[in-house]
Each structure stands twice: as structure tokens, then as C-alpha cells.
Amino acid sequence: MAGAQPKPGDLMHPEQRAERAGKYFAPEPSTPVAQYVKLAFGGGLLLMALVMFAVGDAAICLGFLCGIGGAVLVVLGLIGLLNYAEARRRAYPRATDQEMDAWLYGAEEAIAQMGYRRLNIHPTELSQGRRPYLVFYGIPELFSVLPFYWNRGRDGKLRYSAYKIMIVYMSNWRLPVYECVLDIATGFTIRDSTKEYALGNVDGMETSADRVSVFNEQWKPGSDGNSGGVFSGAIGSGPNMGAQFGHYTQRQIIKLLVSGRVAVDLWLGIAPNEAIGIQGVTEPSSVDAMISQLREHLREHSGAAYPDGNAALSGPASPSGPDPTALLMPPPSEGHTTEPIRQRPPGEENEQRHA
């Protein structure tokens, strides 16, 4: 989720940015087709009423009814158009999906520099040859800090009015973490905090996701019952045709354990191209890639992850010594034997009983 993004509207006035970002979360009104239909039918009924009034006494009653019905439809149509105009005023001008992403990712460098200063991190303590820090964008757990809204963009991605940002710096002797909440409308950070732990006290990391597996009911198997199937549906397209299963993931949680307790936790948002997975597609997730880098960093500095990498790679494929299957058998004890049980032929039990 981290990385360079287009930055449209960087020179936008703060008030204009706040207005566009706030209206991004207002529902977009749909075209008032029903209101136009009401106006058209109402106008037609009013015109019919005028014609009937002109005909004479026999059609006056019918014309009166048409006039009332037409007037009601016209009034309802006008009220609907006024509501539509008010909804457009609340929803436009609104920020685009690209602007919302630019305001989020564009603040990454400034927040990272703030973390450098707050944690007093020196460049020499960072791991060489890899990224100096990892940025995770999450969802604030306390929505009472400021008004919190969310909306799904036209690209299918969920976007929020505020984000909890966690930066983990890849130090060689400690685990410094900087956290803050970014308000997209103003670009200000609030509720920032620092955490610092010795790498030797970090017990590990836990992750979980709200993954939901989906079975594609429109998938049709091939002649052999499995391969060559085709389908048409929401799960996959093009080269992914033939996938029978998929999954949908919207959020996942990352937790860092220090001295046996949860010290750092964050709800992570998932990019739209990472939310839906197709069976057989192995494109790496940027969030999973950063989690893997953090896992590797913790393993390298735990002192017990790779005691002898060469020996581990060059060892025998199967264990040496006694037969491994012998380890599965219980040890001999009084009243038990490791020999296989002999099946008695019919009648032997009765013969022993008579004896």
C-alpha cells in the first residue's frame, strides 16, 4: 500500500481540499429519471384536462380528475428535482479517488521524518541494503477522536476520512514504532505516539484476516469433471477463466507481541486489487510483502532463527538412524507387546476354552 502515487491537487487551497475531501463521503445522487417521468405524465394529464374542459360539459368531470392527477404528479416531480439539486450541492465538487490516495500517500515522507525525530533514530542503526522503515495504513480504533466516515470509490476501494499510520523502523538493536492518526481533509496528524522495545524482547507477530472463501456457482467443469472448465462471473476474467474458488478480504490485523503481551496492533486496509483473489493467481500482495520483511527482520535479530543455514540446507532429506516408523510405535511395557496381533482361526477360541 505504500509507494509513490500521483499527486493531483497538491497546490490546492486548504479550504478547497477540506471541502472536496468532506464531500467525497457524501452519497452521489443518481439521475432523477423518475422525477422526469412524473413531470412528463403530469404535464400530459394537465394538457388532457384542458382539452376536456374545451370539449364541453360531458367531459368536465373527467377533465377535473385529470387536472388533479396531473397537478399532483407535477408537484411531486418538482419536489424530487429540488431534492436532487440539494443532494448534488452536498456531493459536489468532490475529490476524486486519485486525489484521496495522493493526500494519503503524499504524507508518508513527512510522517516518517517526524518519527525519526521523535524516536531519535540515527541512520547508522538501520539495517543496510533494505528499506529503512515500513509504513502500514490502518483504520483508527477510536472513532470518537474526530468525525469518521468511509466510502467505496469508483474503483471499488474503501477509503476513510482518517487513517491510523504505523511506521516500523528497521533498527538493528531495537524496535522503534511511530503511530499517528492522519486527517485526510486537513492533512494534519493527531494523537501521535512512540513505542520502543528491545529486539530481544519481541516474542513474535500475529496476523489475521476476515477472508471469506467464495464458490463460483457459474463455473462449469470440463469433460473430465475438473479441467477445462469455463465460467462467467465476478470471480476472475480473461486468463483467470476456469477458477472455481476465490476469496474476498477486506481487512486484516497485525499484532506484535512483546514479553508475552500485545504491544502493537493495527487494523489494515486492503487495496482493491488485493481484496479479491482468484484460485491459481500468485501475484504478491504489497501488505503481505511488508509483513514478510518485518518477520524476516525479527528472525534475523532474534539470535535463534538460523543457527547454521548451510547445515540446514545441506542436511539429509530423510532422518538417519533408526527406522522413522519405529518412532510411531508405543514402547513395550508390562502386559503389552509390539508384535502384531495374530488373527485366530474360527473354532480355536472354543478349543482353548474346553482345554
Side-chain angles (χ1 to χ4, degrees):
M1 299 180 64
Q5 298 288 334
K7 300 181 180 181
D10 279 352
L11 302 178
M12 189 178 299
H13 193 274
E15 293 183 359
Q16 186 180 5
R17 167 177 171 171
E19 179 186 10
R20 292 175 64 87
K23 291 183 177 182
Y24 179 85
F25 302 98
E28 290 188 82
S30 57
T31 305
V33 178
Q35 314 308 325
Y36 293 132
V37 172
K38 291 177 184 178
L39 289 176
F41 273 97
L45 290 176
L46 290 177
L47 181 60
M48 186 180 298
L50 293 177
V51 173
M52 290 182 179
F53 285 141
V55 169
D57 297 338
I60 289 179
C61 293
L62 184 58
F64 182 74
L65 294 176
C66 291
I68 294 178
V72 170
L73 289 176
V74 169
V75 171
L76 292 178
L78 291 176
I79 293 176
L81 289 179
L82 291 177
N83 293 334
Y84 172 73
E86 177 63 19
R88 283 190 59 87
R89 186 191 66 81
R90 292 193 300 264
Y92 301 101
R94 63 195 292 121
T96 63
D97 296 340
Q98 292 75 18
E99 287 176 338
M100 294 294 291
D101 291 340
W103 291 331
L104 171 62
Y105 299 118
E108 175 182 314
E109 183 63 28
I111 294 176
Q113 294 300 325
M114 178 65 69
Y116 275 117
R117 294 191 294 270
R118 292 289 305 275
L119 289 161
N120 193 24
I121 298 176
H122 195 272
T124 57
E125 70 176 274
L126 300 177
S127 299
Q128 302 298 323
R130 63 176 55 181
R131 298 176 60 179
Y133 57 82
L134 300 176
V135 184
F136 297 93
Y137 298 94
I139 305 168
E141 65 279 294
L142 296 178
F143 301 156
S144 59
V145 177
L146 71 166
F148 183 84
Y149 307 98
W150 64 272
N151 188 24
R152 190 178 299 275
R154 296 185 178 181
D155 55 359
K157 178 181 178 180
L158 282 174
R159 291 177 176 84
Y160 305 91
S161 59
Y163 287 85
K164 181 179 180 180
I165 299 179
M166 181 179 73
I167 301 183
V168 181
Y169 297 89
M170 311 297 279
S171 173
N172 288 317
W173 59 274
R174 59 173 174 162
L175 183 67
V177 178
Y178 179 72
E179 295 179 331
C180 67
V181 176
L182 174 65
D183 184 8
I184 295 296
T186 62
F188 296 152
T189 58
I190 57 177
R191 291 187 68 239
D192 64 336
S193 61
T194 60
K195 298 178 181 180
E196 180 179 337
Y197 308 98
L199 280 177
N201 294 333
V202 180
D203 299 329
M205 181 170 57
E206 295 180 356
T207 60
S208 60
D210 60 348
R211 174 170 296 186
V212 177
S213 297
V214 180
F215 175 74
N216 188 3
E217 297 180 354
Q218 295 179 328
W219 182 81
K220 298 179 181 180
S223 58
D224 59 353
N226 187 17
S227 63
V230 295
F231 76 99
S232 60
I235 307 178
S237 61
N240 300 327
M241 296 292 288
Q244 187 176 4
F245 295 94
H247 71 265
Y248 177 78
T249 304
Q250 182 170 299
R251 299 172 184 171
Q252 63 176 324
I253 308 174
I254 177 175
K255 298 179 180 180
L256 292 177
L257 307 179
V258 178
S259 300
R261 65 181 181 87
V262 177
V264 179
D265 63 323
L266 180 69
W267 279 81
L268 298 174
I270 306 299
N273 59 335
E274 300 170 359
I276 299 178
I278 312 301
Q279 183 184 25
V281 178
T282 57
E283 295 181 359
S285 164
S286 59
V287 175
D288 291 340
M290 288 193 298
I291 292 177
S292 298
Q293 293 181 35
L294 183 56
R295 288 185 189 275
E296 188 68 19
H297 180 72
L298 296 177
R299 290 169 184 167
E300 290 178 354
H301 294 81
S302 65
Y306 306 108
D308 192 353
N310 295 330
L313 294 177
S314 60
S318 59
S320 58
D323 184 5
T325 58
L327 302 177
L328 303 178
M329 301 180 63
S333 60
E334 184 179 358
H336 295 82
T337 178
T338 57
E339 296 180 0
I341 300 177
R342 183 175 62 89
Q343 298 293 332
R344 296 177 178 177
E348 181 178 347
E349 182 180 357
N350 295 333
E351 293 177 0
Q352 292 182 352
R353 186 174 300 173
H354 288 305

